[in-house]
Amino acid sequence: DQAIYPGLFLVCAWLVIEVVRRQSLWLAFLLGLGLYLLTFFAFTFLPLFTFAGLFLLVDYWLHRRERRLLWQIWFGLAFLAGTLSAYLTLLGLFNYDFFTRFSMTVAINHAFDFYTRVGLQPPSGPESLSTRVPQALQAAWINNLDFASTVGFAIYILFVAQAIRLLVRFVRGDRQPADGVLLSLLLNLIVLNAAGTAQGEVGRLWMFWVPVVVLLAAKELKPWVARDRRVLLGVLAVQVIMVFLTHYFQDLKM
């Protein structure tokens, strides 16, 4: 997880950005095909699909005066066509049905995370919206605490600060060159939280998001370091202390 997925996720996110900016229908088709093949090996890469959709919308909004809406629709359809082609190919050759596998995986993980793990009996039927919404909110709280302790609270606080600045800049229309990419990544993380598919253990499950969090944290830290480089040493010291505290207090007996 920690050696391959974060770097591979960043490479694939870069490919999404390049393909969207090139506006090539053939590349969009190949992108959809390639991303689907990645999900065959790990569901970890599913957020790349939502990132592709979000970045297509954000990038179009930023360049709406130069681009035609109809072409963006064709671009999205080409991406979906590539995904569908890969789905049908794996279904026909290997009898691999993504939707069946994914729904079973989500059902098993959901029952364990929200019921078995906390000593409750899983329901026999579908859950109501009034049940799922509190679950998603509780999961978002627990998961972000878990994730913050994994990446380090200092880095996570910097990430949150820059995320707020990013949203404010977009609302005011005072955007920086990289803000379209960063906003799409941030919205993607928000969508992942809203889905509420997991509760706990996101230090591993969300490992691929660590580089994204660090990018935003570094952007927040940069002007502070420009004024006083000792700030960076302070952040690193807090991170080291966090590592020692984690190893001291975390129960690693399994």
Side-chain angles (χ1 to χ4, degrees):
D1 289 350
Q2 64 188 10
I4 297 176
Y5 290 160
L8 189 55
F9 183 86
L10 275 187
V11 170
C12 293
W14 171 76
L15 286 174
V16 169
I17 295 165
E18 283 298 306
V19 170
V20 170
R21 287 179 172 173
R22 289 173 184 268
Q23 292 287 290
S24 168
L25 296 184
W26 278 110
L27 288 178
F29 178 87
L30 293 175
L31 179 66
L33 190 149
L35 292 187
Y36 182 85
L37 292 178
L38 279 177
T39 62
F40 175 80
F41 297 100
F43 290 143
T44 300
F45 298 107
L46 276 174
L48 285 167
F49 281 92
T50 51
F51 171 67
L54 288 167
F55 183 68
L56 180 61
L57 292 174
V58 171
D59 196 62
Y60 168 70
W61 176 257
L62 294 176
H63 303 91
R64 59 190 180 278
R65 294 180 181 177
E66 307 113 47
R67 294 180 183 172
R68 293 179 298 165
L69 177 60
L70 182 60
W71 185 260
Q72 306 309 303
I73 295 174
W74 279 112
F75 186 92
L77 291 175
F79 176 80
L80 293 176
T83 305
L84 181 61
S85 297
Y87 167 76
L88 293 175
T89 300
L90 290 180
L91 181 63
L93 293 179
F94 304 108
N95 195 30
Y96 175 76
D97 189 340
F98 165 83
F99 296 103
T100 301
R101 301 282 182 174
F102 182 67
S103 61
M104 290 176 59
T105 301
V106 169
I108 293 171
N109 289 343
H110 181 78
F112 177 75
D113 284 354
F114 291 90
Y115 293 96
T116 307
R117 177 182 283 174
V118 293
L120 298 176
Q121 181 66 30
S124 56
E127 296 166 309
S128 64
L129 186 63
S130 60
T131 300
R132 283 297 295 132
V133 170
Q135 284 181 345
L137 292 175
Q138 178 181 337
W141 170 251
I142 294 174
N143 289 344
N144 280 277
L145 281 178
D146 185 359
F147 194 53
S149 66
T150 300
V151 299
F153 285 105
I155 296 297
Y156 196 79
I157 291 171
L158 290 168
F159 156 71
V160 171
Q162 180 58 212
I164 294 172
R165 291 183 194 275
L166 177 62
L167 293 172
V168 170
R169 286 200 301 270
F170 253 83
V171 171
R172 293 179 176 177
D174 181 24
R175 295 181 289 269
Q176 299 176 6
D179 281 356
V181 174
L182 295 176
L183 179 66
S184 302
L185 290 168
L186 175 61
L187 292 176
N188 206 15
L189 183 57
I190 293 174
V191 169
L192 187 64
N193 274 277
T197 55
Q199 182 172 241
E201 206 181 344
V202 293
R204 178 182 64 84
L205 296 175
W206 290 1
M207 183 71 71
F208 57 97
W209 280 112
V210 172
V212 177
V213 171
V214 172
L215 281 172
L216 283 160
K219 192 173 178 63
E220 177 67 23
L221 187 59
K222 185 178 179 180
W224 293 84
V225 175
R227 289 193 291 267
D228 190 343
R229 292 188 178 183
R230 289 175 296 180
V231 173
L232 180 58
L233 294 177
V235 171
L236 292 175
V238 172
Q239 289 290 99
V240 171
I241 292 171
M242 186 68 197
V243 170
F244 280 106
L245 290 176
T246 301
H247 280 276
Y248 183 80
F249 287 104
Q250 186 175 359
D251 182 10
L252 298 176
K253 298 177 182 179
M254 300 184 68

